[in-house]
Amino acid sequence: MSFAESLTDYTAAQIIAATGCPRGTAYDWKDGRREPPAWQQPHWLAIIARGTRKKSNKTVDSNRHER
């Protein structure tokens, strides 16, 4: 699987938010025009996956404090 194919589940906005990369880089990565060196790709994919994890849907009672 290519680096670009690994990014199909993510939007450019998600990639930018997770990595802090420039917008052009995110679009180039998604379109397959550019990619990081092969040894860095797993690192970037992990950062993107971690940065785009869905937040928990738990409701927190503001009057309740965890101890």
Side-chain angles (χ1 to χ4, degrees), residues 3 29 34-44:
F3 185 69
W29 283 2
R34 291 176 50 208
E35 58 184 41
W39 64 271
Q40 288 183 354
Q41 292 176 14
H43 171 74
W44 286 116

Side-chain angles (χ1 to χ4, degrees):
M1 178 182 294
S2 73
F3 185 69
E5 290 170 338
S6 300
L7 296 175
T8 57
D9 291 338
Y10 307 106
T11 66
Q14 289 174 315
I15 295 168
I16 295 163
T19 64
C21 72
R23 182 174 38 155
T25 298
Y27 281 106
D28 286 348
W29 283 2
K30 283 192 62 65
D31 294 339
R33 288 188 298 263
R34 291 176 50 208
E35 58 184 41
W39 64 271
Q40 288 183 354
Q41 292 176 14
H43 171 74
W44 286 116
L45 292 171
I47 289 172
I48 294 165
R50 196 170 44 243
T52 58
R53 253 188 227 145
K54 291 185 178 177
K55 304 294 181 200
S56 173
N57 289 333
K58 292 181 185 176
T59 304
V60 176
D61 182 358
S62 61
N63 294 324
R64 191 170 160 197
H65 300 284
E66 292 184 13
R67 294 179 190 219

